Amino acid sequence: MPRYARLVFPNFFYHIINRGQERRNIFLDKSDYLKFLENLLKYKKKFDWIIYCYCLLPNHFHLLIQTRQEPLGRIMKCLLTAYGVWFNKKYGWE
């Protein structure tokens, strides 16, 4: 059953959860966590959104954010693609 369409409004709050494929780890060592945080900061500067808190765990992460004018999908696409490409290249999963 497909999920309902995400509600998208300016200044809306979101609790984002993202897990690794098949619940596999997405952070294997300290440098992985640091790279994700580096990307989080990069896209925080690029797009207009507020990060209230985050929690990074070995196989998933949580973000509590507020969007402004930028759609959530665009922010997450950039953040997750950047990290995924870097992770796959680092571990040779291309």
Side-chain angles (χ1 to χ4, degrees):
M1 171 184 249
R3 69 171 181 81
Y4 294 107
R6 180 181 296 118
L7 298 175
V8 179
F9 301 106
N11 297 311
F12 206 65
F13 288 85
Y14 296 95
H15 174 207
I16 307 295
I17 303 171
N18 196 328
R19 290 192 185 279
Q21 185 178 11
E22 298 175 350
R23 298 184 184 234
R24 287 184 278 175
N25 286 355
I26 57 174
F27 304 110
L28 302 181
D29 64 28
K30 184 177 180 179
S31 68
D32 299 341
Y33 290 99
L34 294 175
K35 184 62 175 181
F36 185 84
L37 292 174
E38 179 183 304
N39 286 341
L40 199 60
L41 180 60
K42 175 183 175 181
Y43 291 108
K44 167 66 184 95
K45 291 177 181 178
K46 181 175 180 173
F47 299 119
D48 185 19
W49 57 305
I50 300 169
I51 304 166
Y52 287 98
C53 63
Y54 61 86
C55 180
L56 308 181
L57 297 138
N59 72 339
H60 70 286
F61 65 85
H62 296 259
L63 301 174
L64 180 59
I65 68 169
Q66 181 182 14
T67 59
R68 298 296 181 117
Q69 296 300 318
E70 199 70 42
L72 176 65
R74 182 173 296 144
I75 296 167
M76 295 309 297
K77 178 181 178 184
C78 290
L79 176 65
L80 298 178
T81 299
Y83 182 73
V85 168
W86 176 85
F87 184 92
N88 290 339
K89 188 175 286 189
K90 177 181 177 183
Y91 292 104
W93 296 355
E94 298 180 61

